[in-house]
Amino acid sequence: MQVSIAGQAVEAHAGESFGEVLARGLSKKKMKDVVAVRCGDRLLDLFKPLEPGCDGVEPVFADSPAGLDVIRHSAAHVMAEAVKKLFPTAKVTIGPSVENGFYYDFDYERPFTPEDLEAIEAEMRAIVAADHPFRCRVASRAAAEELFGGMGEDYKLELIRDLGAEQYSLYTQGGFTDLCRGPHAPGTGLLGAFKLLSVAGAYWRGDEKNKMLQRIYGTAWATEKELKAYLHRLEEAKRRDHRKLGVALDLFSFSDEAGPGMVIWHPKGALVRTILEDFERKEHLKRGYHIVQGPQILKQELWEKSGHYDNYRENMYFTAIDETGYGVKPMNCLSHMLIYKSRLRSYRDLPLRYFELGLVHRHERSGVLHGLTRVRAFTQDDAHLICRPDQVQGEIIGVIEFVRDVMGLFGFEYELELSTRPEKSIGSDADWELATTALETALKTVGLPYQINEGDGAFYGPKIDIKLKDALDRRWQCATIQCDFTLPERFDLVYTDSDGERRRPVMLHRVILGSIERFLGVLIEHFAGAFPTWLAPVQARVLTVTDAHDAHAGAVKNFLAARGVRVEADLRNEKLGYKVREAQVEKVPYVLVVGDQEVESGGASVRLRGENLGSRSLEEVAALIAADCAEPFKRGGMSYRFDSCASAV
RNA sequence: GCCAGCGUAGCUCAGUUGGUAGAGCAGCUGAUUCGUAAUCAGCAGGUCCGGGGUUCAAGUCCCCGCGCUGGCUCCA
C-alpha cells in the first residue's frame, strides 16, 4: 500500500510502524527530530503500527507546538519514573504538559526539598542517557485495575473508575508504566533540554476539598538553546518585576501596618496614575460617556437587592452606622443604576454610558495577593452602558474599538475571547441567544480574530475578555465586556419606547484597562520601568557640571516647565558621571547637561535614554519632548494635548 | 483559605556546632568644582517580623501569630 508523507507518496508494508515508513520519506537528520505523527486531527506514536485508515501522515517535529507538547508530556513520565525510583512509596497521580513545560503531582509522606529536586533531575538525566524506548499497550479495565491496584496506586484506580471505559492504554518506558492517552516520544533520549523548577502544593483534581499533593514543575524544550532562552526569559521577568521596580523607582509601597493588598502610592507613582486617569477621562468624554461618581459605601439592603449579598458576600467588607448595615462597594454598578433610575428615561436617551474611576474593595483570599496585579483595594476604569436591545451590538463594537485604540497606544498585542453560557446561570435562553449573538456579531464586524470559551461566561451573561500580551509574551486579563441580565431585572430598569410601552434596557459592564493598579503593574514590567515619555513621572532632568552653571540650569528648567514638561534640576555638588548614572537608573528619559558650552550657547546637551544627542537649543529640546509625547498617540490616530500634569514653575 | 519556603539597617545581603550583630549601596557631615553610568574621608543607623517557650546564654532551637514569595483554588 501507499502512504502520503507530507504530500510525498511512500511505499508501506503491512505491520510496519509509522516510524519505519516515515524513515523512508525523510532524511536521517530530520528523522531524529520527529517525535510523533499527525494523521488527520489525531496525534499518534511513531512506534505504533500503521493504521489502515491513515493514508496521509505528517511528521510532528520536536520544535513544533504539538511536538513540544509530546516532549513535555514524555518528560513528565520520565520525572514520575525518577521519583518512583528514588521514593518508592510516593504515589503518582497525573502529569500533563503545560505552557513552557510540564508537571507531575505526587502524594508523598513528606515535602520534597530542593535537594530532592536535584536528585530527581539527576535520575532523569540518567534515564535520558539510557534512551529507553516508550511502548504502549492496551489493557482491559480489569487488567489495568489489577496492575495499578497491585502497585498501590490508588489515584490511578480512582481515575480508571471515573473514566469508566472498558480499555485503557498504558505507556511504559524503562521500568515505569503509566495510565496515559499518549502519544509519547519514541525514546527518553529525545528529552535532553529540560530542567526542574519548583515544588508547589496542588489539590488532587483541582478541588480544594481534596488532599493537597506535591506538584513538581519542570520546563522542557526541543533544544538546549531554546531551554537557555526560556531560562533567560525567566531571569528577565525577575529583572522587570514591578514589585522590585516599584521600590527602586519610588512609585508605591505596601505596608504591614496598612494591611496586605493595600497599595500606598508615592508621589511619582501617584503622578503616573493621575496622568493615566486624565487620559482616560478625556478619552471617555470624547466617546460620549458621562463621568459619574458614587459613594464608597452603600446600604446593605441595596447589596441584598442586587444579589451581591447572596453571591459575593465573602469578598465584601461591611460596616454599620447608627445600626444600619453598610457594604463597601466591590463594584460600581449600583450607584450607576441609581442614576439611571433617578428619572424616567426615554428611548431617545439611550444609550447612556456612565463612566467612573471607581475605587472598589474586595476581600481577596490572602494567598492570591500579588504586587499590584492582585490587590484588595483598586480602581476600575468602569463603565455601564445602558441601551436598547437594538443598540447592543453597536455599543459592543464601540468598546472593542476603544480597547483596540488604547492597546495600540501602549504597543500591546492582545487576544479576544468570547465566553458563553455556563451551566450555572440565570436568564432565559432567548436572552442568552440574543446577547451571545450580539457579542459574536460585533467581534466579526470589527474583524479581529477571537476564540470561544464554551461555558466560561458569568452566571448573569456572556462576556468578551481581552488578554493583552506584554513584552515577554505573558498574557494579562485586563479589559472585559459583560452582558448582564440580572441587574436591569432586579432594579426594574425601564425606558419608555417610541410606542409608549415600557421596556427593559440591556446593561453592559465594561472596563478598558481593567484596574489602574493591575494595568500599571503590567505597564511597569512591559516597559521595564522606563515609561514612555508622556507617562514618565519625570520627563527631563537638568544636570549641572559645576555650581557655576546653576543659574543656567534654573533657566532651562523654567523654560521647559513653562511649556508643560515635567522637569527637575539636579544641582548637587557631585560629578557629572554620578548624576548621569542616577538619572539613568531612575529611567528619566531626557537628561539635559549644562556646562560652560551650554551657558555660552544658551542651550542644553541632550541625552535620551542613554543616547547622546548632542547640544540643542531650548526650543529644539521642548519640541523634541513634545513630539516624543505625542508619537504613540499619532500612531493610533488619537490626539494628545501636551500639557497634562506639568510640574510647577 | 490550603501546601511549601522565607522574614537581620531605607535597599541588597553576611552572620560558623547557641556566647550578646556586620558589609556594600542609600542617608548625614566635611573635603573635592569635576563634561555623559558610581570622588574621597568620617558619622549615624537594628524591638534580628511579633508573642511565648527551652537554656547560664537565642538572630540561631521549639510552639503560636503576622507578613512576604512560589504554586493550588478564585479573579480586574
Side-chain angles (χ1 to χ4, degrees):
Chain A
M1 77 202 228
Q2 281 220 328
V3 174
S4 146
I5 295 174
Q8 181 192 347
V10 173
E11 194 61 33
H13 313 289
E16 276 189 313
S17 70
F18 284 110
E20 287 167 318
V21 179
L22 220 52
R24 283 205 291 280
L26 290 173
S27 70
K28 252 197 178 149
K29 195 170 165 234
K30 276 198 154 173
M31 195 59 211
K32 258 178 40 195
D33 292 328
V34 179
V35 292
V37 294
R38 190 195 303 279
C39 175
D41 54 3
R42 290 193 305 157
L43 283 183
L44 297 166
D45 300 291
L46 275 186
F47 49 78
K48 284 236 176 89
L50 206 59
E51 290 180 24
C54 278
D55 39 14
V57 173
E58 296 285 332
V60 173
F61 292 101
D63 59 355
S64 67
L68 278 172
D69 233 40
V70 171
I71 284 185
R72 288 166 183 162
H73 188 185
S74 297
H77 277 231
V78 170
M79 178 160 77
E81 181 184 356
V83 168
K84 285 296 284 186
K85 187 158 180 197
L86 296 172
F87 311 95
T89 55
K91 289 179 183 170
V92 293
T93 67
I94 53 165
S97 77
V98 291
E99 194 176 8
N100 301 325
F102 60 93
Y103 68 79
Y104 210 111
D105 286 347
F106 302 95
D107 184 6
Y108 188 52
E109 64 248 28
R110 66 159 176 85
F112 290 122
T113 64
E115 292 72 42
D116 292 337
L117 279 203
E118 277 174 40
I120 294 166
E121 192 172 311
E123 186 59 38
M124 287 173 73
R125 302 223 178 269
I127 295 168
V128 168
D131 193 14
H132 298 301
F134 276 87
R135 285 294 172 255
C136 177
R137 69 188 160 94
V138 175
S140 71
R141 182 198 190 118
E145 282 181 341
E146 199 193 320
L147 177 72
F148 290 111
M151 294 191 290
E153 298 289 8
D154 307 332
Y155 295 91
K156 291 291 173 191
L157 286 178
E158 187 178 329
L159 287 175
I160 292 169
R161 213 168 40 239
D162 287 2
L163 284 166
E166 283 316 307
Q167 294 201 314
Y168 295 88
S169 58
L170 305 176
Y171 278 79
T172 302
Q173 89 276 2
F176 179 76
T177 297
D178 204 351
L179 180 76
C180 183
R181 197 183 301 126
H184 279 284
T188 58
L190 261 98
L191 313 174
F194 71 92
K195 185 172 168 56
L196 299 190
L197 298 175
S198 59
V199 205
Y203 300 108
W204 166 235
R205 312 194 99 173
D207 188 333
E208 60 186 327
K209 290 187 205 75
N210 288 341
K211 184 165 187 189
M212 180 142 300
L213 308 169
Q214 294 189 65
R215 175 170 298 179
I216 303 181
Y217 280 97
T219 185
W221 298 84
T223 63
E224 202 64 35
K225 199 174 149 195
E226 284 169 292
L227 172 66
K228 279 227 174 78
Y230 175 69
L231 294 177
H232 182 261
R233 231 169 76 201
L234 290 184
E235 286 300 311
E236 181 64 16
K238 232 188 248 173
R239 196 180 70 76
R240 289 168 178 246
D241 192 323
H242 74 274
R243 294 165 302 184
K244 288 263 182 202
L245 287 171
V247 175
L249 302 177
D250 200 15
L251 299 173
F252 59 85
S253 63
F254 292 89
S255 151
D256 294 5
E257 291 170 287
M262 307 290 181
V263 190
I264 295 168
W265 292 96
H266 296 202
K268 282 179 186 159
L271 183 53
V272 176
R273 259 192 83 129
T274 306
I275 296 163
L276 198 58
E277 289 172 351
D278 276 0
F279 159 72
E280 282 236 87
R281 288 195 191 91
K282 257 191 252 179
E283 284 302 314
H284 279 83
L285 289 174
K286 243 168 65 183
R287 292 164 200 258
Y289 287 75
H290 301 290
I291 296 177
V292 299
Q293 192 161 10
Q296 210 54 52
I297 61 176
L298 297 90
K299 276 193 191 162
Q300 184 172 316
E301 267 171 48
L302 199 63
W303 297 110
E304 285 165 8
K305 186 172 171 184
S306 70
H308 287 93
Y309 191 80
D310 287 337
N311 294 311
Y312 205 69
R313 196 180 352 167
E314 325 74 75
N315 286 298
M316 287 180 64
Y317 295 95
F318 290 95
T319 184
I321 297 164
D322 293 341
E323 289 166 41
T324 304
Y326 280 81
V328 180
K329 67 173 178 178
M331 290 153 189
N332 305 297
C333 23
L334 296 203
S335 36
H336 296 191
M337 305 238 293
L338 296 180
I339 298 168
Y340 184 86
K341 280 179 74 75
S342 66
R343 47 176 291 183
L344 289 176
R345 302 291 176 181
S346 150
Y347 70 100
R348 295 178 214 271
D349 296 330
L350 304 183
L352 277 168
R353 308 184 184 107
Y354 295 134
F355 171 69
E356 175 172 3
L357 283 162
L359 171 62
V360 296
H361 289 75
R362 297 184 185 175
H363 182 250
E364 302 290 350
R365 297 164 93 179
S366 59
V368 307
L369 299 175
H370 179 96
L372 290 180
T373 58
R374 198 73 187 272
V375 293
R376 283 182 171 158
F378 58 100
T379 305
Q380 293 181 301
D381 59 336
D382 202 3
H384 294 93
L385 315 184
I386 303 170
C387 61
R388 306 191 305 258
D390 63 292
Q391 293 172 321
V392 172
Q393 199 177 301
E395 289 306 299
I396 294 166
I397 291 171
V399 175
I400 297 174
E401 288 174 345
F402 198 165
V403 170
R404 184 194 58 198
D405 290 354
V406 172
M407 291 301 123
L409 174 67
F410 295 101
F412 284 124
E413 303 271 308
Y414 52 94
E415 290 167 354
L416 299 158
E417 291 173 5
L418 173 64
S419 297
T420 60
R421 185 169 197 168
E423 273 179 40
K424 220 185 99 193
S425 61
I426 57 127
S428 69
D429 289 352
D431 280 347
W432 276 89
E433 177 67 31
L434 184 92
T436 309
T437 308
L439 289 173
E440 186 150 24
T441 312
L443 283 167
K444 283 183 177 143
T445 308
V446 179
L448 295 168
Y450 61 94
Q451 278 199 324
I452 294 188
N453 279 346
E454 217 61 68
D456 208 31
F459 73 93
Y460 50 78
K463 60 174 182 172
I464 294 172
D465 285 327
I466 293 98
K467 298 221 162 86
L468 64 83
K469 285 194 279 183
D470 74 5
L472 296 181
D473 208 36
R474 295 172 299 184
R475 277 135 184 89
W476 299 93
Q477 163 80 69
C478 291
T480 167
I481 311 168
Q482 307 184 348
C483 294
D484 190 339
F485 306 135
T486 46
L487 285 181
E489 248 351 284
R490 282 175 181 261
F491 280 78
D492 193 28
L493 301 190
V494 291
Y495 64 93
T496 309
D497 212 343
S498 53
D499 57 4
E501 288 294 315
R502 295 196 153 196
R503 300 236 150 77
R504 183 83 67 217
V506 176
M507 181 159 119
L508 303 172
H509 308 252
R510 51 105 282 193
V511 288
I512 303 292
L513 305 181
S515 94
I516 301 292
E517 286 76 5
R518 175 178 291 181
F519 192 77
L520 273 172
V522 172
L523 269 191
I524 290 168
E525 304 208 356
H526 181 64
F527 292 120
F531 290 111
T533 304
W534 72 276
L535 258 183
V538 179
Q539 297 171 312
R541 184 177 290 166
V542 188
L543 310 187
T544 49
V545 178
T546 76
D547 55 10
H549 315 115
D550 286 3
H552 183 52
V556 172
K557 183 186 157 193
N558 289 343
F559 181 92
L560 292 175
R563 281 155 186 78
V565 179
R566 294 186 290 276
V567 57
E568 55 189 32
D570 184 352
L571 306 181
R572 291 175 304 168
N573 176 18
E574 296 287 354
K575 284 187 146 175
L576 181 61
Y578 180 82
K579 295 202 269 193
V580 166
R581 177 176 191 276
E582 212 159 80
Q584 193 88 23
V585 167
E586 288 174 39
K587 322 251 184 212
V588 175
Y590 287 84
V591 171
L592 307 172
V593 176
V594 296
D596 288 342
Q597 293 162 39
E598 286 72 27
V599 171
E600 173 89 10
S601 70
S605 170
V606 181
R607 182 183 160 111
L608 170 57
R609 300 190 195 281
E611 189 195 353
N612 200 332
L613 303 183
S615 245
R616 303 291 171 99
S617 74
L618 297 188
E619 285 79 9
E620 279 179 296
V621 174
L624 214 56
I625 296 174
D628 193 2
C629 285
E631 199 275 330
F633 293 84
K634 247 165 86 182
R635 198 163 12 100
M638 277 190 270
S639 63
Y640 175 69
R641 264 184 47 221
F642 181 60
D643 62 355
S644 165
C645 302
S647 44
V649 180

